[in-house]
Amino acid sequence: MLYAARSPKPSGELDFALVWLVLALLGFGLVMVYSASIAFAEGSRMTGHQGHYFLLRQSIFLVAAMVTGVLAFQVPMRIWQQVAPFFFLAGLVLLIVVLIPGLGKEVNGSRRWISLGFANLQPSELMKFFAVIYAADYTTRKAALMHDFKKGFMPMAGVMLLVGGLLLMEPDFGAFVVIISIAMGVLFLGGLNGKVFIGLIGVLLAGFVALIVMSPYRLQRILGFLDPWADPYGKGYQLSHALIAFGRGEWTGLGLGGSVEKLFYLPEAHTDFLLAVIAEELGFIGVAVVLAMFVMLVGKAFLIGRHAARLERNFCALAAFGIAIWLGVQAGINIGVNVGLLPTKGLTLPFLSFGGSGIVANCIAVAVLLRIDWEHRQMMRGKTF
């Protein structure tokens, strides 16, 4: 499982490379959200025909997220471990509340938001973070039982099935996939029997196929994904226009603000399909830079987790690994959807896409990574937590 080894003494108080990387993602996302949304905002009554509507709201979300991240950084990891079950329970309550008519807000046939008046809260985004710390805490407490399918895996499986059921009732299949990936990844890295893990992967794949076949709208998405040009004005509309955006961008793009697809052709240009706008305006080079930044971010998270494992701080290690899996899987799915490798799912690109709940959850996750790394640096100086 996790192991101990002598680690090199870190220098400095914070991993500023990680800080600047995240700030670069947030800043770049703000610019691209404005570019992708300005035409839609000017033409929509909902926004009062104000071109800067989404820019202003995203700026507010960023400030709130960074303040929340700074506050989250102040919390010692032992406290995160202690409150993990309570946060997870709070997340379950929010997932139930969002399904109650009159409390949950329905948009495009999905009930995923709770209106707070000034903004909408999306419980599934917060649940991703709660799932990380809960899975890390559970696996740490049950470390001696990870070889036992009944005692080690089944309790977590029952809880995750409950979460999955609530998410599928919204429906939010994308969040369901991310959260299941987090739980399975953390359990595996925490010592779950390899043969059991492989068997469960097979069961999950069979379950995903069954969910798709039993749900007409999911099946239609799969059919549209396989051949978007067969029905470019119906099932394949989003993907076909995303692919057109990628094709128009070529190597260097049309220039910032030069996208045509964002002019009421590509739906959700500032959220789910922001990468397509980046591709059209900044070309292959812009997309490659985005991919490189996410590879560095996920790599940083895994390195922090590995360092924690060497110091035998198992909860911290698993929390860092869980965050890496979360951000990597979600970014991978969003990128895959944009380039036509995966069926269309309602998952945003972390740190970049428009949305308050997602940005806040992402910044809390980074704050926890920085806290884990900071505590390691302090421990090397002889301090304890």
Side-chain angles (χ1 to χ4, degrees), residues 187-215:
L187 285 173
F188 176 70
L189 292 170
L192 183 66
N193 183 280
K195 292 181 180 179
V196 172
F197 180 77
I198 293 173
L200 291 172
I201 293 296
V203 172
L204 284 174
L205 290 175
F208 287 148
V209 172
L211 286 171
I212 291 169
V213 173
M214 294 169 59
S215 175

PDB file of all heavy atoms in Angstrom, residues 187-215:
ATOM      1  N   LEU A 187      -9.751   3.804  -3.295  1.00  0.00           N
ATOM      2  CA  LEU A 187      -9.761   2.460  -2.709  1.00  0.00           C
ATOM      3  C   LEU A 187      -8.617   1.609  -3.260  1.00  0.00           C
ATOM      4  O   LEU A 187      -7.944   0.895  -2.514  1.00  0.00           O
ATOM      5  CB  LEU A 187     -11.105   1.778  -2.988  1.00  0.00           C
ATOM      6  CG  LEU A 187     -12.299   2.253  -2.166  1.00  0.00           C
ATOM      7  CD1 LEU A 187     -13.581   1.616  -2.682  1.00  0.00           C
ATOM      8  CD2 LEU A 187     -12.121   1.934  -0.684  1.00  0.00           C
ATOM      9  N   PHE A 188      -8.398   1.696  -4.558  1.00  0.00           N
ATOM     10  CA  PHE A 188      -7.328   0.903  -5.169  1.00  0.00           C
ATOM     11  C   PHE A 188      -5.959   1.344  -4.657  1.00  0.00           C
ATOM     12  O   PHE A 188      -5.129   0.509  -4.272  1.00  0.00           O
ATOM     13  CB  PHE A 188      -7.380   1.044  -6.692  1.00  0.00           C
ATOM     14  CG  PHE A 188      -6.269   0.336  -7.396  1.00  0.00           C
ATOM     15  CD1 PHE A 188      -6.220  -1.052  -7.444  1.00  0.00           C
ATOM     16  CD2 PHE A 188      -5.246   1.054  -8.003  1.00  0.00           C
ATOM     17  CE1 PHE A 188      -5.177  -1.711  -8.094  1.00  0.00           C
ATOM     18  CE2 PHE A 188      -4.209   0.405  -8.650  1.00  0.00           C
ATOM     19  CZ  PHE A 188      -4.173  -0.978  -8.696  1.00  0.00           C
ATOM     20  N   LEU A 189      -5.719   2.647  -4.627  1.00  0.00           N
ATOM     21  CA  LEU A 189      -4.433   3.159  -4.142  1.00  0.00           C
ATOM     22  C   LEU A 189      -4.271   2.917  -2.648  1.00  0.00           C
ATOM     23  O   LEU A 189      -3.145   2.876  -2.146  1.00  0.00           O
ATOM     24  CB  LEU A 189      -4.319   4.655  -4.447  1.00  0.00           C
ATOM     25  CG  LEU A 189      -4.206   5.007  -5.943  1.00  0.00           C
ATOM     26  CD1 LEU A 189      -4.340   6.502  -6.152  1.00  0.00           C
ATOM     27  CD2 LEU A 189      -2.885   4.503  -6.516  1.00  0.00           C
ATOM     28  N   GLY A 190      -5.393   2.753  -1.947  1.00  0.00           N
ATOM     29  CA  GLY A 190      -5.330   2.482  -0.509  1.00  0.00           C
ATOM     30  C   GLY A 190      -5.160   1.017  -0.177  1.00  0.00           C
ATOM     31  O   GLY A 190      -5.121   0.653   1.003  1.00  0.00           O
ATOM     32  N   GLY A 191      -5.097   0.139  -1.191  1.00  0.00           N
ATOM     33  CA  GLY A 191      -4.809  -1.263  -0.919  1.00  0.00           C
ATOM     34  C   GLY A 191      -5.887  -2.253  -1.262  1.00  0.00           C
ATOM     35  O   GLY A 191      -5.796  -3.428  -0.884  1.00  0.00           O
ATOM     36  N   LEU A 192      -6.943  -1.839  -1.991  1.00  0.00           N
ATOM     37  CA  LEU A 192      -7.994  -2.771  -2.379  1.00  0.00           C
ATOM     38  C   LEU A 192      -7.389  -3.899  -3.220  1.00  0.00           C
ATOM     39  O   LEU A 192      -6.551  -3.656  -4.079  1.00  0.00           O
ATOM     40  CB  LEU A 192      -9.075  -2.040  -3.184  1.00  0.00           C
ATOM     41  CG  LEU A 192     -10.294  -2.873  -3.604  1.00  0.00           C
ATOM     42  CD1 LEU A 192     -11.093  -3.299  -2.376  1.00  0.00           C
ATOM     43  CD2 LEU A 192     -11.180  -2.083  -4.559  1.00  0.00           C
ATOM     44  N   ASN A 193      -7.839  -5.117  -2.957  1.00  0.00           N
ATOM     45  CA  ASN A 193      -7.340  -6.292  -3.662  1.00  0.00           C
ATOM     46  C   ASN A 193      -7.418  -6.084  -5.181  1.00  0.00           C
ATOM     47  O   ASN A 193      -8.452  -5.695  -5.716  1.00  0.00           O
ATOM     48  CB  ASN A 193      -8.169  -7.517  -3.251  1.00  0.00           C
ATOM     49  CG  ASN A 193      -7.663  -8.794  -3.894  1.00  0.00           C
ATOM     50  OD1 ASN A 193      -7.948  -9.076  -5.041  1.00  0.00           O
ATOM     51  ND2 ASN A 193      -6.905  -9.561  -3.121  1.00  0.00           N
ATOM     52  N   GLY A 194      -6.320  -6.377  -5.873  1.00  0.00           N
ATOM     53  CA  GLY A 194      -6.238  -6.139  -7.307  1.00  0.00           C
ATOM     54  C   GLY A 194      -7.257  -6.922  -8.114  1.00  0.00           C
ATOM     55  O   GLY A 194      -7.873  -6.396  -9.049  1.00  0.00           O
ATOM     56  N   LYS A 195      -7.457  -8.202  -7.769  1.00  0.00           N
ATOM     57  CA  LYS A 195      -8.419  -9.023  -8.494  1.00  0.00           C
ATOM     58  C   LYS A 195      -9.840  -8.499  -8.293  1.00  0.00           C
ATOM     59  O   LYS A 195     -10.640  -8.468  -9.236  1.00  0.00           O
ATOM     60  CB  LYS A 195      -8.322 -10.472  -8.020  1.00  0.00           C
ATOM     61  CG  LYS A 195      -7.013 -11.154  -8.401  1.00  0.00           C
ATOM     62  CD  LYS A 195      -6.993 -12.592  -7.919  1.00  0.00           C
ATOM     63  CE  LYS A 195      -5.676 -13.278  -8.305  1.00  0.00           C
ATOM     64  NZ  LYS A 195      -5.620 -14.679  -7.818  1.00  0.00           N
ATOM     65  N   VAL A 196     -10.125  -8.075  -7.066  1.00  0.00           N
ATOM     66  CA  VAL A 196     -11.444  -7.504  -6.787  1.00  0.00           C
ATOM     67  C   VAL A 196     -11.638  -6.225  -7.592  1.00  0.00           C
ATOM     68  O   VAL A 196     -12.699  -5.988  -8.171  1.00  0.00           O
ATOM     69  CB  VAL A 196     -11.598  -7.210  -5.276  1.00  0.00           C
ATOM     70  CG1 VAL A 196     -12.890  -6.429  -5.003  1.00  0.00           C
ATOM     71  CG2 VAL A 196     -11.600  -8.509  -4.491  1.00  0.00           C
ATOM     72  N   PHE A 197     -10.586  -5.411  -7.664  1.00  0.00           N
ATOM     73  CA  PHE A 197     -10.667  -4.145  -8.396  1.00  0.00           C
ATOM     74  C   PHE A 197     -10.958  -4.381  -9.876  1.00  0.00           C
ATOM     75  O   PHE A 197     -11.815  -3.726 -10.467  1.00  0.00           O
ATOM     76  CB  PHE A 197      -9.361  -3.374  -8.225  1.00  0.00           C
ATOM     77  CG  PHE A 197      -9.336  -2.051  -8.929  1.00  0.00           C
ATOM     78  CD1 PHE A 197      -9.995  -0.949  -8.394  1.00  0.00           C
ATOM     79  CD2 PHE A 197      -8.660  -1.902 -10.135  1.00  0.00           C
ATOM     80  CE1 PHE A 197      -9.980   0.267  -9.037  1.00  0.00           C
ATOM     81  CE2 PHE A 197      -8.631  -0.683 -10.789  1.00  0.00           C
ATOM     82  CZ  PHE A 197      -9.299   0.407 -10.237  1.00  0.00           C
ATOM     83  N   ILE A 198     -10.250  -5.343 -10.486  1.00  0.00           N
ATOM     84  CA  ILE A 198     -10.468  -5.639 -11.901  1.00  0.00           C
ATOM     85  C   ILE A 198     -11.892  -6.148 -12.131  1.00  0.00           C
ATOM     86  O   ILE A 198     -12.565  -5.760 -13.094  1.00  0.00           O
ATOM     87  CB  ILE A 198      -9.439  -6.675 -12.393  1.00  0.00           C
ATOM     88  CG1 ILE A 198      -8.039  -6.054 -12.362  1.00  0.00           C
ATOM     89  CG2 ILE A 198      -9.773  -7.151 -13.800  1.00  0.00           C
ATOM     90  CD1 ILE A 198      -6.934  -7.037 -12.661  1.00  0.00           C
ATOM     91  N   GLY A 199     -12.370  -7.005 -11.222  1.00  0.00           N
ATOM     92  CA  GLY A 199     -13.741  -7.498 -11.332  1.00  0.00           C
ATOM     93  C   GLY A 199     -14.766  -6.380 -11.236  1.00  0.00           C
ATOM     94  O   GLY A 199     -15.760  -6.347 -11.972  1.00  0.00           O
ATOM     95  N   LEU A 200     -14.508  -5.440 -10.333  1.00  0.00           N
ATOM     96  CA  LEU A 200     -15.436  -4.324 -10.156  1.00  0.00           C
ATOM     97  C   LEU A 200     -15.449  -3.408 -11.373  1.00  0.00           C
ATOM     98  O   LEU A 200     -16.496  -2.847 -11.720  1.00  0.00           O
ATOM     99  CB  LEU A 200     -15.048  -3.529  -8.907  1.00  0.00           C
ATOM    100  CG  LEU A 200     -15.271  -4.256  -7.583  1.00  0.00           C
ATOM    101  CD1 LEU A 200     -14.664  -3.463  -6.431  1.00  0.00           C
ATOM    102  CD2 LEU A 200     -16.757  -4.452  -7.339  1.00  0.00           C
ATOM    103  N   ILE A 201     -14.291  -3.254 -12.022  1.00  0.00           N
ATOM    104  CA  ILE A 201     -14.240  -2.455 -13.242  1.00  0.00           C
ATOM    105  C   ILE A 201     -15.164  -3.066 -14.299  1.00  0.00           C
ATOM    106  O   ILE A 201     -15.920  -2.363 -14.981  1.00  0.00           O
ATOM    107  CB  ILE A 201     -12.799  -2.368 -13.789  1.00  0.00           C
ATOM    108  CG1 ILE A 201     -11.919  -1.554 -12.827  1.00  0.00           C
ATOM    109  CG2 ILE A 201     -12.781  -1.736 -15.180  1.00  0.00           C
ATOM    110  CD1 ILE A 201     -12.323  -0.118 -12.687  1.00  0.00           C
ATOM    111  N   GLY A 202     -15.124  -4.395 -14.403  1.00  0.00           N
ATOM    112  CA  GLY A 202     -16.009  -5.075 -15.346  1.00  0.00           C
ATOM    113  C   GLY A 202     -17.470  -4.874 -15.017  1.00  0.00           C
ATOM    114  O   GLY A 202     -18.300  -4.625 -15.899  1.00  0.00           O
ATOM    115  N   VAL A 203     -17.794  -4.964 -13.725  1.00  0.00           N
ATOM    116  CA  VAL A 203     -19.181  -4.759 -13.290  1.00  0.00           C
ATOM    117  C   VAL A 203     -19.629  -3.330 -13.584  1.00  0.00           C
ATOM    118  O   VAL A 203     -20.761  -3.090 -14.047  1.00  0.00           O
ATOM    119  CB  VAL A 203     -19.317  -5.074 -11.788  1.00  0.00           C
ATOM    120  CG1 VAL A 203     -20.703  -4.671 -11.284  1.00  0.00           C
ATOM    121  CG2 VAL A 203     -19.076  -6.551 -11.531  1.00  0.00           C
ATOM    122  N   LEU A 204     -18.742  -2.364 -13.320  1.00  0.00           N
ATOM    123  CA  LEU A 204     -19.086  -0.960 -13.571  1.00  0.00           C
ATOM    124  C   LEU A 204     -19.322  -0.703 -15.056  1.00  0.00           C
ATOM    125  O   LEU A 204     -20.269   0.002 -15.430  1.00  0.00           O
ATOM    126  CB  LEU A 204     -17.970  -0.044 -13.057  1.00  0.00           C
ATOM    127  CG  LEU A 204     -17.910   0.166 -11.548  1.00  0.00           C
ATOM    128  CD1 LEU A 204     -16.666   0.963 -11.173  1.00  0.00           C
ATOM    129  CD2 LEU A 204     -19.155   0.888 -11.052  1.00  0.00           C
ATOM    130  N   LEU A 205     -18.468  -1.274 -15.895  1.00  0.00           N
ATOM    131  CA  LEU A 205     -18.641  -1.097 -17.342  1.00  0.00           C
ATOM    132  C   LEU A 205     -19.980  -1.679 -17.792  1.00  0.00           C
ATOM    133  O   LEU A 205     -20.697  -1.071 -18.596  1.00  0.00           O
ATOM    134  CB  LEU A 205     -17.491  -1.752 -18.089  1.00  0.00           C
ATOM    135  CG  LEU A 205     -16.129  -1.069 -17.953  1.00  0.00           C
ATOM    136  CD1 LEU A 205     -15.044  -1.899 -18.649  1.00  0.00           C
ATOM    137  CD2 LEU A 205     -16.167   0.335 -18.534  1.00  0.00           C
ATOM    138  N   ALA A 206     -20.316  -2.859 -17.267  1.00  0.00           N
ATOM    139  CA  ALA A 206     -21.600  -3.470 -17.606  1.00  0.00           C
ATOM    140  C   ALA A 206     -22.754  -2.603 -17.117  1.00  0.00           C
ATOM    141  O   ALA A 206     -23.772  -2.446 -17.806  1.00  0.00           O
ATOM    142  CB  ALA A 206     -21.695  -4.872 -16.995  1.00  0.00           C
ATOM    143  N   GLY A 207     -22.575  -2.021 -15.925  1.00  0.00           N
ATOM    144  CA  GLY A 207     -23.610  -1.138 -15.384  1.00  0.00           C
ATOM    145  C   GLY A 207     -23.793   0.113 -16.228  1.00  0.00           C
ATOM    146  O   GLY A 207     -24.926   0.554 -16.473  1.00  0.00           O
ATOM    147  N   PHE A 208     -22.679   0.694 -16.690  1.00  0.00           N
ATOM    148  CA  PHE A 208     -22.764   1.886 -17.538  1.00  0.00           C
ATOM    149  C   PHE A 208     -23.493   1.570 -18.849  1.00  0.00           C
ATOM    150  O   PHE A 208     -24.314   2.347 -19.317  1.00  0.00           O
ATOM    151  CB  PHE A 208     -21.363   2.424 -17.839  1.00  0.00           C
ATOM    152  CG  PHE A 208     -20.703   3.098 -16.677  1.00  0.00           C
ATOM    153  CD1 PHE A 208     -19.323   3.048 -16.520  1.00  0.00           C
ATOM    154  CD2 PHE A 208     -21.451   3.763 -15.710  1.00  0.00           C
ATOM    155  CE1 PHE A 208     -18.708   3.663 -15.442  1.00  0.00           C
ATOM    156  CE2 PHE A 208     -20.849   4.380 -14.628  1.00  0.00           C
ATOM    157  CZ  PHE A 208     -19.482   4.330 -14.484  1.00  0.00           C
ATOM    158  N   VAL A 209     -23.182   0.407 -19.421  1.00  0.00           N
ATOM    159  CA  VAL A 209     -23.862   0.007 -20.660  1.00  0.00           C
ATOM    160  C   VAL A 209     -25.357  -0.154 -20.425  1.00  0.00           C
ATOM    161  O   VAL A 209     -26.188   0.298 -21.231  1.00  0.00           O
ATOM    162  CB  VAL A 209     -23.253  -1.304 -21.204  1.00  0.00           C
ATOM    163  CG1 VAL A 209     -24.082  -1.833 -22.374  1.00  0.00           C
ATOM    164  CG2 VAL A 209     -21.815  -1.081 -21.641  1.00  0.00           C
ATOM    165  N   ALA A 210     -25.709  -0.766 -19.280  1.00  0.00           N
ATOM    166  CA  ALA A 210     -27.125  -0.951 -18.962  1.00  0.00           C
ATOM    167  C   ALA A 210     -27.829   0.386 -18.778  1.00  0.00           C
ATOM    168  O   ALA A 210     -28.965   0.583 -19.248  1.00  0.00           O
ATOM    169  CB  ALA A 210     -27.259  -1.800 -17.692  1.00  0.00           C
ATOM    170  N   LEU A 211     -27.164   1.331 -18.100  1.00  0.00           N
ATOM    171  CA  LEU A 211     -27.766   2.652 -17.900  1.00  0.00           C
ATOM    172  C   LEU A 211     -27.995   3.363 -19.228  1.00  0.00           C
ATOM    173  O   LEU A 211     -28.999   4.057 -19.407  1.00  0.00           O
ATOM    174  CB  LEU A 211     -26.859   3.502 -17.005  1.00  0.00           C
ATOM    175  CG  LEU A 211     -26.831   3.159 -15.519  1.00  0.00           C
ATOM    176  CD1 LEU A 211     -25.724   3.942 -14.809  1.00  0.00           C
ATOM    177  CD2 LEU A 211     -28.188   3.451 -14.874  1.00  0.00           C
ATOM    178  N   ILE A 212     -27.074   3.188 -20.150  1.00  0.00           N
ATOM    179  CA  ILE A 212     -27.207   3.833 -21.456  1.00  0.00           C
ATOM    180  C   ILE A 212     -28.341   3.200 -22.252  1.00  0.00           C
ATOM    181  O   ILE A 212     -29.182   3.892 -22.835  1.00  0.00           O
ATOM    182  CB  ILE A 212     -25.876   3.729 -22.236  1.00  0.00           C
ATOM    183  CG1 ILE A 212     -24.814   4.607 -21.558  1.00  0.00           C
ATOM    184  CG2 ILE A 212     -26.057   4.146 -23.689  1.00  0.00           C
ATOM    185  CD1 ILE A 212     -23.415   4.368 -22.078  1.00  0.00           C
ATOM    186  N   VAL A 213     -28.384   1.868 -22.283  1.00  0.00           N
ATOM    187  CA  VAL A 213     -29.405   1.169 -23.061  1.00  0.00           C
ATOM    188  C   VAL A 213     -30.802   1.414 -22.498  1.00  0.00           C
ATOM    189  O   VAL A 213     -31.775   1.553 -23.254  1.00  0.00           O
ATOM    190  CB  VAL A 213     -29.094  -0.340 -23.097  1.00  0.00           C
ATOM    191  CG1 VAL A 213     -30.233  -1.110 -23.752  1.00  0.00           C
ATOM    192  CG2 VAL A 213     -27.785  -0.585 -23.848  1.00  0.00           C
ATOM    193  N   MET A 214     -30.906   1.508 -21.171  1.00  0.00           N
ATOM    194  CA  MET A 214     -32.220   1.685 -20.533  1.00  0.00           C
ATOM    195  C   MET A 214     -32.717   3.123 -20.582  1.00  0.00           C
ATOM    196  O   MET A 214     -33.871   3.387 -20.246  1.00  0.00           O
ATOM    197  CB  MET A 214     -32.133   1.216 -19.072  1.00  0.00           C
ATOM    198  CG  MET A 214     -31.895  -0.271 -18.914  1.00  0.00           C
ATOM    199  SD  MET A 214     -31.495  -0.744 -17.211  1.00  0.00           S
ATOM    200  CE  MET A 214     -32.969  -0.173 -16.347  1.00  0.00           C
ATOM    201  N   SER A 215     -31.858   4.061 -20.957  1.00  0.00           N
ATOM    202  CA  SER A 215     -32.251   5.469 -20.987  1.00  0.00           C
ATOM    203  C   SER A 215     -32.253   5.970 -22.432  1.00  0.00           C
ATOM    204  O   SER A 215     -31.190   6.077 -23.045  1.00  0.00           O
ATOM    205  CB  SER A 215     -31.275   6.310 -20.148  1.00  0.00           C
ATOM    206  OG  SER A 215     -31.582   7.681 -20.255  1.00  0.00           O
TER     207      SER A 215
END
